[in-house]
Amino acid sequence: MAETLTISQLARLAAVNVETIRFYERQGLISKPPRGSSGFRHFPYEAVDAIRFIRVAKNLGFSLPEIQNLIRLRVSQDVQTKEDVRELESIVHSINEKISALTVLRDDLVSLRR
C-alpha cells in the first residue's frame, strides 16, 4: 500500500469531493502537501482523519475560524498560554451550550410520540 494518497484517494476515504479538499487547503484547514515528480500531490494518511474531524465540527455548527482554532489546539495537544486556555474554555462552553440545546430539542421530539 502506498505511503501517501492522491487527492482522489483522499476524497474517497474521507467521503468528500475533491473540491472540498481544495477548499480546506485554501482555508488553511489542512496543509498543502508536496507534489511528486508527476505533479500529483501526495497527502499523508493523517489527512483522512483531519478531514473527518473538520466535517464533524462543521456538522456540529462550528464556523471555519472556530475549526481552525480547534485544529490548532488539537495539533499542539498542549495548552500553554492564557489565551489558549481561554480559547479552549470558550470552545468547551460552546459545546456544552450545543449539547444543552440538542437535549431540549430531543426531549421535545420524544414527548411528541407519547
Side-chain angles (χ1 to χ4, degrees), residues 3 19 21 40 52 55 67 99 102 111:
E3 294 178 13
E19 287 306 313
I21 296 170
F40 289 110
R52 288 177 180 163
R55 288 183 56 221
I67 294 170
I99 290 170
L102 286 169
S111 72

Side-chain angles (χ1 to χ4, degrees), residues 4-7 18 21-22 25 32-36 38-43:
T4 60
L5 301 166
T6 64
I7 194 168
V18 169
I21 296 170
R22 290 182 180 135
E25 283 180 318
K32 292 186 180 186
R35 291 187 183 265
S38 64
F40 289 110
R41 292 178 280 178
H42 296 279
F43 290 87

Side-chain angles (χ1 to χ4, degrees), residues 3-4 14 17 24 26-27 29 34 40 44-45 50-51 54 61 63-64 69 78 81 83 85 95 98 113:
E3 294 178 13
T4 60
N17 64 46
Y24 291 165
R26 286 191 304 271
Q27 296 302 310
L29 297 171
F40 289 110
Y45 275 90
I51 291 171
I54 293 165
S63 68
L64 292 180
N69 284 334
D78 188 18
T81 67
E83 183 179 309
V85 170
I95 290 169
K98 290 173 198 272
R113 68 177 184 200

Side-chain angles (χ1 to χ4, degrees), residues 3 11 33 37-39 44 68 80 106 108-109 112:
E3 294 178 13
S37 58
S38 64
Q68 284 177 322
Q80 295 182 356
R106 181 200 61 210
D108 286 347
L109 294 174
L112 293 175

